[in-house]
Amino acid sequence: MTESDMTGSKLVFIDIDGTLADENHIVPESAKTACARAQANGHKLFICTGRSVPKIERNILDLGFDGVVSVAGAQANIGDKLLFQHLVSPEAIDAVMAYFAEHHIESYQWQGADGMYISEGYRRHLESKGKTWNRGEFARFWHLLDEVEVPAGSTLGHTIHVSKGSYFTGPEPDTSFEDTQHDLAPWFELVHGSYDKISPNNGELLINGIDKGTAVRDVASLLGYAIADTIAIGDSDNDTAMLKAAGTSVAMGNAIHGIQAFCNIITTDIRDNGLANAFKTLGLA
């Protein structure tokens, strides 16, 4: 008998950006209350984010989630306990770096448990947005790729340990998202990123065969939950695999990329108590 059979417990996976937290990285009070009530009712709540753990604000982690799925499904933790971790192969990193150079793609980052490795172009982007990337709680986790010491005879791919990448081109790229998706297919699955306002060609580079959906299935299996007892809540294309894998899927009212079309439930906007209303509809809190 599984844990969920015994308790009636649900295993809930919640995206951060646009779902749990707004564009200012603020979690609405209604969402905090709903999460606490759901846990008090015996349900288990996991963050399920594209971010690496070092890029998740302490005030979000301090809300007391039961676990964290990070780097778009490549890693899962319960506290300090590592459930699983998948790393990008050195060959894949080197192939993408060569592709970026060939197509003059200057803004990109690699993410993993060690932090965020960023290009000079991505650093300029952060500074232009007024983000103090090199100060505050995340400072020690940011690394400039130009400053990574690659041993003689080695490559960047063999030097850094990461679980996903992301990028955006200039506003008038010489290659479309679909072209990039096709060209990098031997190494990665590409999904639309969160930089649509900056460039038509932007995306997240996910390890082939690993995504938020595989994480939902693997975490459920490890914790003894049937897929029917899993719930996923998200707002964009990079949540698609998670939403399709879960027993019940919820799209936020502010969802983009058409994900509402295949979700079981559409809740209200994040600014209109979207997460709390979803929990109420689902009988979690």
Side-chain angles (χ1 to χ4, degrees), residues 21-32:
D22 64 18
E23 66 273 16
N24 296 314
H25 298 194
I26 294 171
V27 179
E29 289 301 320
S30 62
K32 295 179 185 178

Side-chain angles (χ1 to χ4, degrees), residues 90-238:
E91 295 75 20
I93 294 172
D94 293 336
V96 170
M97 293 296 288
Y99 182 87
F100 285 166
E102 178 186 355
H103 291 279
H104 311 291
I105 297 173
E106 299 180 349
S107 300
Y108 51 87
Q109 66 172 312
W110 296 102
Q111 291 186 48
D114 297 336
M116 293 71 68
Y117 294 86
I118 63 174
S119 66
E120 175 61 19
Y122 193 81
R123 182 195 68 79
R124 289 196 301 268
H125 162 71
L126 291 174
E127 292 200 340
S128 73
K129 301 281 285 184
K131 294 186 178 179
T132 53
W133 64 276
N134 58 348
R135 296 193 293 279
E137 64 177 307
F138 298 139
R140 63 195 174 97
F141 296 115
W142 288 100
H143 312 286
L144 287 172
L145 284 165
D146 288 348
E147 296 179 358
V148 173
E149 293 188 19
V150 177
S154 189
T155 67
L156 179 71
H158 285 87
T159 306
I160 64 176
H161 304 288
V162 296
S163 294
K164 72 164 239 188
S166 60
Y167 74 95
F168 60 89
T169 68
E172 296 181 359
D174 70 350
T175 178
S176 69
F177 173 81
E178 289 74 22
D179 289 338
T180 304
Q181 188 177 47
H182 173 269
D183 294 342
L184 299 185
W187 305 280
F188 293 97
E189 177 185 352
L190 259 67
V191 297
H192 289 285
S194 54
Y195 299 105
D196 286 350
K197 294 179 181 176
I198 299 173
S199 170
N201 185 359
N202 72 93
E204 296 192 12
L205 287 67
L206 312 182
I207 300 171
N208 277 335
I210 304 294
D211 54 35
K212 288 186 177 183
T214 60
V216 166
R217 291 188 287 271
D218 290 348
V219 171
S221 177
L222 289 167
L223 298 188
Y225 280 80
I227 283 296
D229 291 322
T230 61
I231 297 167
I233 308 174
D235 72 300
S236 67
D237 184 34
N238 57 19

Side-chain angles (χ1 to χ4, degrees), residues 267-283:
T267 187
T268 52
D269 192 286
I270 188 171
R271 299 170 196 81
D272 186 23
N273 304 315
L275 192 69
N277 286 332
F279 275 35
K280 185 177 180 180
T281 299
L282 293 162

Side-chain angles (χ1 to χ4, degrees), residues 250-262:
V250 182
M252 296 294 287
N254 49 282
I256 56 176
H257 300 135
I259 65 168
Q260 301 93 325
F262 56 79

